[in-house]
PDB file of all heavy atoms in Angstrom:
ATOM      1  N   MET Q 197       8.988  15.144 -16.671  1.00 64.00           N
ATOM      2  CA  MET Q 197       7.968  16.152 -16.368  1.00 64.00           C
ATOM      3  C   MET Q 197       7.810  17.074 -17.555  1.00 64.00           C
ATOM      4  O   MET Q 197       8.751  17.304 -18.300  1.00 64.00           O
ATOM      5  CB  MET Q 197       8.434  17.027 -15.201  1.00 64.00           C
ATOM      6  CG  MET Q 197       8.184  16.455 -13.851  1.00 64.00           C
ATOM      7  SD  MET Q 197       8.679  17.649 -12.650  1.00 64.00           S
ATOM      8  CE  MET Q 197       8.376  16.744 -11.168  1.00 64.00           C
ATOM      9  N   ASP Q 198       6.578  17.660 -17.704  1.00 71.00           N
ATOM     10  CA  ASP Q 198       6.462  18.702 -18.726  1.00 71.00           C
ATOM     11  C   ASP Q 198       6.967  20.026 -18.148  1.00 71.00           C
ATOM     12  O   ASP Q 198       7.203  20.158 -16.961  1.00 71.00           O
ATOM     13  CB  ASP Q 198       5.031  18.796 -19.261  1.00 71.00           C
ATOM     14  CG  ASP Q 198       4.019  18.919 -18.158  1.00 71.00           C
ATOM     15  OD1 ASP Q 198       4.406  19.419 -17.096  1.00 71.00           O
ATOM     16  OD2 ASP Q 198       2.866  18.511 -18.358  1.00 71.00           O
ATOM     17  N   ASP Q 199       7.109  21.035 -19.047  1.00 75.00           N
ATOM     18  CA  ASP Q 199       7.782  22.275 -18.641  1.00 75.00           C
ATOM     19  C   ASP Q 199       7.088  22.960 -17.474  1.00 75.00           C
ATOM     20  O   ASP Q 199       7.720  23.516 -16.591  1.00 75.00           O
ATOM     21  CB  ASP Q 199       7.847  23.242 -19.834  1.00 75.00           C
ATOM     22  CG  ASP Q 199       8.751  22.684 -20.916  1.00 75.00           C
ATOM     23  OD1 ASP Q 199       9.507  21.745 -20.583  1.00 75.00           O
ATOM     24  OD2 ASP Q 199       8.694  23.155 -22.056  1.00 75.00           O
ATOM     25  N   LYS Q 200       5.747  22.903 -17.512  1.00 78.00           N
ATOM     26  CA  LYS Q 200       4.982  23.608 -16.494  1.00 78.00           C
ATOM     27  C   LYS Q 200       5.280  23.029 -15.112  1.00 78.00           C
ATOM     28  O   LYS Q 200       5.508  23.752 -14.156  1.00 78.00           O
ATOM     29  CB  LYS Q 200       3.492  23.437 -16.799  1.00 78.00           C
ATOM     30  CG  LYS Q 200       2.693  24.700 -16.612  1.00 78.00           C
ATOM     31  CD  LYS Q 200       1.276  24.423 -17.018  1.00 78.00           C
ATOM     32  CE  LYS Q 200       0.392  25.614 -16.765  1.00 78.00           C
ATOM     33  NZ  LYS Q 200      -0.997  25.301 -17.100  1.00 78.00           N
ATOM     34  N   GLU Q 201       5.274  21.721 -15.035  1.00 73.00           N
ATOM     35  CA  GLU Q 201       5.522  21.076 -13.749  1.00 73.00           C
ATOM     36  C   GLU Q 201       6.962  21.250 -13.318  1.00 73.00           C
ATOM     37  O   GLU Q 201       7.246  21.399 -12.132  1.00 73.00           O
ATOM     38  CB  GLU Q 201       5.180  19.585 -13.830  1.00 73.00           C
ATOM     39  CG  GLU Q 201       3.715  19.330 -13.631  1.00 73.00           C
ATOM     40  CD  GLU Q 201       3.437  17.877 -13.348  1.00 73.00           C
ATOM     41  OE1 GLU Q 201       4.158  17.321 -12.503  1.00 73.00           O
ATOM     42  OE2 GLU Q 201       2.543  17.318 -13.971  1.00 73.00           O
ATOM     43  N   LEU Q 202       7.858  21.247 -14.291  1.00 74.00           N
ATOM     44  CA  LEU Q 202       9.269  21.418 -13.972  1.00 74.00           C
ATOM     45  C   LEU Q 202       9.492  22.787 -13.346  1.00 74.00           C
ATOM     46  O   LEU Q 202      10.254  22.933 -12.387  1.00 74.00           O
ATOM     47  CB  LEU Q 202      10.108  21.258 -15.242  1.00 74.00           C
ATOM     48  CG  LEU Q 202      11.603  21.103 -15.001  1.00 74.00           C
ATOM     49  CD1 LEU Q 202      11.887  19.770 -14.329  1.00 74.00           C
ATOM     50  CD2 LEU Q 202      12.381  21.187 -16.304  1.00 74.00           C
ATOM     51  N   GLU Q 203       8.774  23.792 -13.890  1.00 78.00           N
ATOM     52  CA  GLU Q 203       8.870  25.152 -13.364  1.00 78.00           C
ATOM     53  C   GLU Q 203       8.433  25.168 -11.899  1.00 78.00           C
ATOM     54  O   GLU Q 203       9.095  25.733 -11.039  1.00 78.00           O
ATOM     55  CB  GLU Q 203       7.965  26.062 -14.216  1.00 78.00           C
ATOM     56  CG  GLU Q 203       8.393  27.506 -14.265  1.00 78.00           C
ATOM     57  CD  GLU Q 203       9.849  27.671 -14.688  1.00 78.00           C
ATOM     58  OE1 GLU Q 203      10.314  26.994 -15.658  1.00 78.00           O
ATOM     59  OE2 GLU Q 203      10.525  28.486 -14.046  1.00 78.00           O
ATOM     60  N   LYS Q 204       7.313  24.509 -11.640  1.00 75.00           N
ATOM     61  CA  LYS Q 204       6.785  24.411 -10.274  1.00 75.00           C
ATOM     62  C   LYS Q 204       7.805  23.736  -9.356  1.00 75.00           C
ATOM     63  O   LYS Q 204       8.052  24.166  -8.245  1.00 75.00           O
ATOM     64  CB  LYS Q 204       5.515  23.546 -10.310  1.00 75.00           C
ATOM     65  CG  LYS Q 204       4.254  24.260  -9.883  1.00 75.00           C
ATOM     66  CD  LYS Q 204       3.211  23.204  -9.665  1.00 75.00           C
ATOM     67  CE  LYS Q 204       1.843  23.621 -10.108  1.00 75.00           C
ATOM     68  NZ  LYS Q 204       0.908  22.506 -10.121  1.00 75.00           N
ATOM     69  N   TYR Q 205       8.385  22.690  -9.872  1.00 71.00           N
ATOM     70  CA  TYR Q 205       9.324  21.892  -9.115  1.00 71.00           C
ATOM     71  C   TYR Q 205      10.559  22.703  -8.765  1.00 71.00           C
ATOM     72  O   TYR Q 205      11.044  22.697  -7.647  1.00 71.00           O
ATOM     73  CB  TYR Q 205       9.684  20.669  -9.960  1.00 71.00           C
ATOM     74  CG  TYR Q 205      10.398  19.570  -9.217  1.00 71.00           C
ATOM     75  CD1 TYR Q 205       9.814  18.981  -8.120  1.00 71.00           C
ATOM     76  CD2 TYR Q 205      11.643  19.114  -9.641  1.00 71.00           C
ATOM     77  CE1 TYR Q 205      10.456  17.968  -7.443  1.00 71.00           C
ATOM     78  CE2 TYR Q 205      12.283  18.104  -8.973  1.00 71.00           C
ATOM     79  CZ  TYR Q 205      11.685  17.538  -7.869  1.00 71.00           C
ATOM     80  OH  TYR Q 205      12.333  16.535  -7.199  1.00 71.00           O
ATOM     81  N   LYS Q 206      11.020  23.480  -9.783  1.00 73.00           N
ATOM     82  CA  LYS Q 206      12.194  24.324  -9.550  1.00 73.00           C
ATOM     83  C   LYS Q 206      11.907  25.336  -8.453  1.00 73.00           C
ATOM     84  O   LYS Q 206      12.743  25.598  -7.597  1.00 73.00           O
ATOM     85  CB  LYS Q 206      12.555  25.068 -10.844  1.00 73.00           C
ATOM     86  CG  LYS Q 206      13.473  24.268 -11.749  1.00 73.00           C
ATOM     87  CD  LYS Q 206      13.859  25.085 -12.951  1.00 73.00           C
ATOM     88  CE  LYS Q 206      14.591  24.232 -13.961  1.00 73.00           C
ATOM     89  NZ  LYS Q 206      14.631  24.836 -15.292  1.00 73.00           N
TER      90      LYS Q 206
END
Side-chain angles (χ1 to χ4, degrees):
Chain Q
M197 277 184 183
D198 51 26
D199 293 345
K200 222 177 176 183
E201 277 195 47
L202 193 68
E203 207 53 44
K204 242 193 218 169
Y205 193 58
K206 273 184 189 162

